[in-house]
Structures are given as C-alpha cells and as structure tokens.
Amino acid sequence: MEELILEFKKHLIEELNLEDLNPENIDNDAPLFGEGLGLDSIDALEILLILERKYGIKLRNSADAKAIFKSVRTIAEYIRDNRQK
Amino acid sequence: MESRKVYIGGYSIISALGSTGSTISALEEGRSGLRKEHNSDVCARVDDSQFIATQHRSRFDKLLSSCMHNLLDECKLPAGTRFILASTKGAVDLIAGSNFPPEAFLCSSAERICRDYNLAPEPLIISNACISGLSALITAKRMIECGQCSHIVVAGCDILSDFVLEGFKSLQSVSSSNCRPYDIERNGLNLGEACAAIFLTCSSGAAIKPLISIEGGAISNDAYHISSPSRTGDGLAQAIDDAIEDAGIDKDEIDLINAHGTATIFNDEMESRAFALAGLSQKPTNSLKPYFGHTLGASGILETAICVHSLQNDIILATPGFSLQGTSRKLNIVTENISRKLQCCLKTASGFGGCNAAIVLCKESRHMKTSKVNHEIHTAAECTMVHEGPDFKEFIKKEYQKLGETNLKFHQMSALCQAAYVAAGKLLSTDVLEGIDSKDTAIVLANSTSTMETDMEHQLNIESGETNRISPAVFVYTLPNIAIGQLCIKYGIKGDNSFFLREKNDNFAEDYSRMLIEQGYAKAVICGWCNKAGEELNVNLKLLKRKTE
C-alpha cells in the first residue's frame, strides 16, 4: 500500500505540474482540495485522467469522485481495489 | 457637455437557424437549431448554404465574411467605420498538429475583413472568453461616447471545432441532450457556432427605428477561480449594478433580462445568486442558449441582436427546456413568449477567467448623460521583460523565484500566463495599489499571437486520438484572458478587464486604459503588452493611476 501511495504521489506531482512539491511534502491523509493541499476542480478532472491512463480506471461520476478524492490514501485504496492495469 | 448616444444602426446574424430573418422566426416559433450529431454530441451547426462564395480556407473566415456581406445589405456604412471583432478562437480549424499557419491568427482574419469590406485599417480584436461579445460592445460604446470615433461595426464569431468541443468535454461541461437553463435537471451546455454583427453609430439618422441605444455597460472580475464561477455571484452583481448606474436608469425600469444561462450547474446557480444580490430576481428572465447553443465569442453580440429585436417588437422570448426551478435563488424564467411594451433590457454574460459583463439597452431613451470628467493620470510603475531563446522555462523560473513567493498554481500556468504573472509581480512589488478599492482596479492586456503555443499543445493532445490525453488544464489556457484571471485572483482585483489582440504593439492597450481612468471607469489600470511566440517573449506592463488631488 505504501508503495502504491508513493507511486500515485509521483504521478500527481508529474501530471499536475506540482513542481515545488516532493512526495514527502504531501500528507497521506490530508485533504487534497481546499484547505489541505489546495487543489481545485481542474486538478480533480486531471486526477480522473491519471486514474484512466495509469490504472485503467474509468470514473465518470463526479459524485463518486468526491468521496474517493478525499486524500491520497483514499485514492490509493480505490486504485488497489479497482485497477485494471 | 452631453455625452454622445450609441445607437444600433443595424445587425445581421448567421446561426444554426439560418440568417437574420430565419433565426428570428425560429426563435419566435420556439424552434431549436440544436441537433444530435453522428458522434452523439448535441450541437448547433451553421448550414454551409449560408456561406457566400469566398476564397477563404477557414470556416471561421467564411462565416464571418458571409455575415459581414449580409450586414452591408442591411445598412450603409459611412467611410472610416472601425471594426471590432470578438472571438475566443478564430480560425482554429486551420491549426493542425504543431503547424500554426499565419492566417489562423485572429488579427489576420480581422484585417482581411477590413480590406474586403472597406473598413478602417487596424481592427481591434477582443478575446475575453465567453464575454468577448459584450466586451466588444462595451469597448465600442466607450470609444463612441468619448468621441474617439463615430461608427463601429462589432462582430462576434466562433465556429464548432474538435479543438473547442473536445476542450469543453474534458471540462465535463457538455450535455448529451438539449440544454435546460436554470432547470433542476440541467446537466451542461451545448456548443453552437454563429456570427453576428452589429453596426453602432452616434448618428440617430443612421440608426434603426424605433431608436435603440446602448445606455450602460460594465465589466467585472470574480477574482475567484479561472474556470469555476463565483460561489456568491458578487462579480456579476457588481457588473450589473455598474451597468445600470452607467445607464443612469432605475432598476425598476428594466423590463427583461437576457441572461447567460449556459445550463451548466455552476453558471446558472451563480447567476441566480447575482440577480438576487442585484435585486432583480423578479424580472422576466430568459436564456437563448436552447435555440442556437452556446456560441462563445459570438454569443454576446448574437444575443444582444435578439434583445434589440425584442425591444423593437415588444416581445419577450421563452426559454425552451425550462420547467422546474433548479437554482438556490428564485428567478422569473419566461416559459412562454410574452407580448408586452418594453423599454429597457439588461443583457449579461460570464466567462472563464472569472469575467462578467452587463449592458443596458433602451428604446427611445431621452435620458441625457453628461460626459465624464477628465481625470489626470500618472504612471506609477513600469516593468519590461524580454527574453529570446529555447530556455524560457529556466528563465521564467528564475524570475519567479526572485518574487520570493510560492504559488502551487504557478507551474500549471501556460508560458504566456507565467510571463504576465511574473511581470505583474514585479510591477506591484511595492504597495502601489494600496488605498484603491478592488473594484476600481482594471487590467487591460494585449498581444498579437493570443495563446498560439498552448493552442498547439491542446491540438496535439486531441490528435493523439485518446480522450484521456485531452487535458482540461491545458485547454483553459487556450483563452488569453486566463492570464488576467490569474492576476485578479492573486491581487484580489475585481474591476474592468479585457484582453485585446493587435497586429503589433501599438500602445492601444495603454491608450484605452488611459481612457478608462479619464472617464472614471477605473482608478488604477495594469496594462500593456504580453506576447509569447516561439522563442520570443516580449512584455511591457505599466501601472497607470488616477492623480489624487
């Protein structure tokens, strides 16, 4: 699990151009949006694309995404349970 | 001295519903130009039979030229008539992969029109996302009112393209059925293509009868997010209040509101809050998007032309697709055409980059406005940034680090936006804006190549053939005014904002900004040139301020 979390963080930094951040700067359990890391609605759409490209997960319902996108850990758990590649 | 009136001298339309007459009949009969296409997208596409014979390669030029041809059948343009073009993406159909041909630039399309139709040279292009059309009308109104010119043709045009359609799909804003503005079941917008041109004149003799004039106009910024509308509606409410004040009328005099009404969840909700804040929730309100889709840069002018028709014929058009209110604030959405004496109409629009615009149109207005005082101006700061070579990324990163700030979003910005961001950071490094209200600060930027580099990046993403490669974060930066939006967010600026395109750096942005201060539309303006094309970067920004006694 820790390995998957680290891998996902690297994708996040790379694909969202979060150049000033290292994986260790991102708290596994802190909120990704708003007051936590500070990502926004466009970043959320980009995360959907990461899930699709890297893990073959198609998540088109934004209502589901809200619960899954709470933190890096909740996303990693979702990837673990649903990955197609 | 009395300020000059700005009359509608005539207009022409080409939409998915046909030319001017056919479009208006369709609207009155409640017919829509939206169609489900073979790939199951619902769009409003112009029929090629509307095009006159031209040599143009781009669909954009064909549409624009045909609409201008029709306008000249409607009205006689005096010699020296100026031209303002409103568009988000222009001849975007000519961009293929990393090939960006010279005729794909908006400046080049506008110049061809000036040559072909004997309009004054040096056209102005306004690329302000979805408020482009209203921005162009407001800019033209100000230019005529202050006596810079007497006659202007303002045209708005945008075409359907994979570029734009795939971009909006990547933002998940597109509905797969006919859009339903303000309805509880609304789930997104439909894109449309159209061109509309309005001839504006200070001469009542050259105007259509009964006389319709643009009495008020204002632009604001949410300073909230580059693609999400404000959660409170305060930006749009401010533009509405300012436009009504500019018109010198009372709110009670407004008979109808033609709103933006794209039918996305967030836009319509924001508008409902803005109309409530402005105290206009009870006014009969409609959205015309269900008839000819969201026509982007054309929409402000196309829908204003329809408002002119409504005022002339005393008819308020219905909003198809609306049945049950789906916004948190109550609105009075018109569901059946209403015949009623009309005097004043409010038209609004909001767009990416956080921009909002509102205009007030009045019939047979006898209200006289005194021209505004000439405030004096001084240049409070200036910043020039020039760079050439393949190492832009390293260059701008170094300059950014000198600002000594950390903004998570900086590395997500396009090169053009980064350049504007860093230059503005230097310009405002001291407290030069202190004491000036956020709504009294304006931003006016200009360049010649718009967002050429980001356009090619987005086009390559589309050509990869994989939907999951089409990045919404890249697409939003294909609008040049996103750079203005980022500055507004950073510095909490909520005043007037426009992105102009000009063939070359001729100080137009600065001259226009001086007029904004002179006429009292702003107390401070960040203005100037910001162009990034290939390996060349050219930025020159100034902060102009009203002299205080």
Side-chain angles (χ1 to χ4, degrees), chain A residues 16 19-20 40 43 46 53, chain B residues 225 409 412 468 471 473:
Chain A
L16 267 53
E19 266 187 46
D20 293 336
D40 65 14
D43 295 318
E46 293 287 342
R53 280 202 303 268
Chain B
H225 189 262
K409 298 275 147 204
Q412 298 183 336
N468 61 26
S471 158

Side-chain angles (χ1 to χ4, degrees), chain B residues 326-522:
Chain B
T327 53
S328 72
R329 303 296 186 271
K330 216 175 146 20
L331 292 166
N332 178 8
I333 303 298
V334 179
T335 53
E336 302 276 341
N337 292 355
I338 303 170
S339 287
R340 178 188 294 172
K341 284 270 171 243
L342 302 173
Q343 283 300 129
C344 296
C345 167
L346 174 74
K347 162 82 198 121
T348 69
S350 299
F352 286 167
C355 51
N356 306 285
I359 63 167
V360 175
L361 297 165
C362 296
K363 179 163 65 181
E364 302 283 9
S365 164
R366 293 188 213 298
H367 182 78
M368 278 300 162
K369 284 190 284 181
T370 48
S371 60
K372 295 175 176 160
V373 259
N374 272 345
H375 294 289
E376 283 192 63
I377 297 160
H378 71 111
T379 305
E382 184 167 0
C383 170
T384 301
M385 207 166 66
V386 180
H387 180 264
E388 204 177 331
D391 58 338
F392 172 82
K393 261 194 117 164
E394 292 77 47
F395 164 78
I396 203 72
K397 207 168 162 180
K398 236 182 249 165
E399 295 295 314
Y400 167 67
Q401 281 161 354
K402 284 186 205 162
L403 296 178
E405 59 170 81
T406 45
N407 181 343
L408 189 69
K409 298 275 147 204
F410 182 77
H411 301 291
Q412 298 183 336
M413 295 176 189
S414 68
L416 177 76
C417 185
Q418 286 183 330
Y421 187 89
V422 169
K426 293 175 180 214
L427 193 75
L428 306 176
S429 57
T430 54
D431 295 339
V432 274
L433 284 178
E434 210 184 282
I436 297 175
D437 197 297
S438 60
K439 69 180 177 48
D440 292 325
T441 305
I443 303 181
V444 181
L445 299 184
N447 78 11
S448 59
T449 57
S450 190
T451 55
M452 165 188 179
E453 297 193 323
T454 314
D455 292 358
M456 291 191 286
E457 191 182 346
H458 177 61
Q459 183 65 27
L460 282 171
N461 285 345
I462 291 172
E463 288 176 15
S464 73
E466 293 170 61
T467 331
N468 61 26
R469 295 242 162 252
I470 301 172
S471 158
V474 171
F475 175 63
V476 287
Y477 281 100
T478 64
L479 296 164
N481 70 307
I482 296 298
I484 293 177
Q486 287 289 17
L487 299 188
C488 288
I489 293 167
K490 168 75 184 163
Y491 299 102
I493 293 170
K494 297 186 167 184
D496 206 292
N497 54 106
S498 283
F499 205 108
F500 294 149
L501 304 178
R502 295 286 279 182
E503 164 88 80
K504 55 180 185 293
N505 184 4
D506 56 1
N507 271 341
F508 185 89
E510 182 179 340
D511 294 342
Y512 181 78
S513 302
R514 287 182 177 276
M515 188 261 274
L516 287 183
I517 298 179
E518 276 168 12
Q519 306 284 303
Y521 293 113

Side-chain angles (χ1 to χ4, degrees), chain A residues 15-21 37-43 45-46 48-50 52-54 58-62 85, chain B residues 169-172 225-228 393 397 400 405-409 411-412 466-474 476:
Chain A
E15 304 289 327
L16 267 53
N17 293 313
L18 305 173
E19 266 187 46
D20 293 336
L21 292 181
L37 190 58
L39 300 184
D40 65 14
S41 53
I42 297 182
D43 295 318
L45 295 172
E46 293 287 342
L48 288 178
L49 298 183
I50 295 176
E52 205 173 313
R53 280 202 303 268
K54 308 284 182 189
K58 278 202 178 197
L59 191 81
R60 284 294 174 178
N61 186 340
S62 43
K85 62 180 181 189
Chain B
K169 279 159 107 177
S170 77
L171 285 162
Q172 298 194 358
H225 189 262
I226 54 168
S227 63
S228 297
K393 261 194 117 164
K397 207 168 162 180
Y400 167 67
E405 59 170 81
T406 45
N407 181 343
L408 189 69
K409 298 275 147 204
H411 301 291
Q412 298 183 336
E466 293 170 61
T467 331
N468 61 26
R469 295 242 162 252
I470 301 172
S471 158
V474 171
V476 287

